[in-house]
Amino acid sequence: MTAPQISELAPPLRLLLGPGPSPVHPRVLRALSTPLLGHLDPKFLEIMDEVQAMLRAVFQTANPFTIAVSGTGSAGMEAALVNLVEPGDAVVVAVAGVFGGRMAEIVGRCGGRAVKVEAPWGQTVPAEAIGEALAREGKVKAVAVVHAETSTGAQQPLDGLGALCHRHGALLVVDTVTSLGGLPVEVDRWEADAVYSGTQKCLSCPPGLAPLTLSPRALEAVRARRTKVQSWYLDAGMVADYWAAGKRLYHHTAPISMIYALREALRLVLEEGLEPRFARHRRHAAALLAGLAALGCEPQAAEGQRLPSLTCVRIPPGVDEAAVRRDLLAERSIEIGGGLGPLAGKVWRIGLMGEGARQESVLAVLAALEQALSRQGKGPRPGAALAAALESYARA
Ligand SMILES: *Cc1c(COP(=O)(O)O)cnc(C)c1O
């Protein structure tokens, strides 16, 4: 057999403005190429402690159990649910997009019964509807919600939700994959019990780790299980013994290089400061939205419920949306996202996450969209979207 002839790795440079992954800072790329330590080396254990301390700061929690699960955001979702849900448990799942649906799917695979409380895509699920489901179902193990629904660009309000769940004896599980590091995630103030994220969105780190924090109440529920956790790899008890200071029992080999990368990405987040970082995401999202409005693109989510990290807009009538995305990628090397599920072919999803939330990104994507639309004989006079974005910056 002849060996395949493969050229040196040289992918094109892209401006990543889709629903993830997001652009990665050169300091994080450098951290990835740091020589490895053994995963039980005392020096590596110190690095794990540092990552845990920084994760608590960005999650705004004092939870001792705050770790990075080996795997992407979906592994965080699976870890949160597989540890809490036992066969027969009822779990109320707020579904208003792809990721709420994925949570319900995992609950079912854990042998649980997913009680879906649905809202149209682009809207959020009212707390009253969750309260009604809790009252109706009686014994509910947990309520699961998506803070930042990346498939629709809507932001689920969380104020008071933890207290509501606890009054009914249920735990609160929150997906913060597209919010952590981009908009406020306040685990302790929300009284949330299991909160997970991913590295590849607003943390601007490559995909590969899933930050996860569990409250003492959630850990108590894990300890009180009647059955073993179905997943050996994601079993919180065993993983905790690996991450816990003083224990460090071998469970699986931590992805060393990814831990290095996350450490540097978190350092960047904390150097900037959470509040300035959130304000930066808001400022650029506002300018993007102003520019998109000038292109005739209306946001899918209602005012006051829109994510700064992901803008989902409806495509103007008569536009070949896939051709526009192909054009952006081929001509401008810019990636944006299309719609999923019922929104396929109907929306564009533009992420301004972490390092991507910059004026250069906003102006580049608006100029590219203007050009692509004008090639189809659509859109406003050249420069109109850029002017609208610049006016938004001047007002900010
Ligand atoms: C991206 C995303 C996930 C899944 O993360 P992966 O890194 O793709 O596994 C889960 N939830 C939400 C809200 C997301 O945006």
Side-chain angles (χ1 to χ4, degrees), residues 12-18 21-24 328-329 332-337 350-353 355-366 368:
L13 271 180
R14 301 285 194 220
L15 178 55
L16 296 173
L17 303 180
S22 61
V24 174
L328 258 57
L329 199 62
R332 307 253 77 99
S333 217
I334 298 175
E335 175 176 287
I336 66 169
I350 304 177
L352 295 176
M353 302 181 188
E355 290 305 310
R358 306 265 170 222
Q359 182 167 309
E360 305 88 278
S361 313
V362 172
L363 299 183
V365 74
L366 288 173

Side-chain angles (χ1 to χ4, degrees), residues 17-38:
L17 303 180
S22 61
V24 174
H25 194 284
R27 268 171 54 186
V28 175
L29 294 176
R30 264 200 312 275
L32 275 169
S33 60
T34 305
L36 301 202
L37 288 165

Side-chain angles (χ1 to χ4, degrees), residues 19 72-75 77 99 102 146 148-150 175 177-178 200-201:
T72 64
S74 305
M77 184 187 287
F99 294 102
R102 188 175 293 180
V146 179
E149 183 46 85
T150 321
D175 178 317
V177 177
T178 295
Q200 52 142 323
K201 312 235 172 148

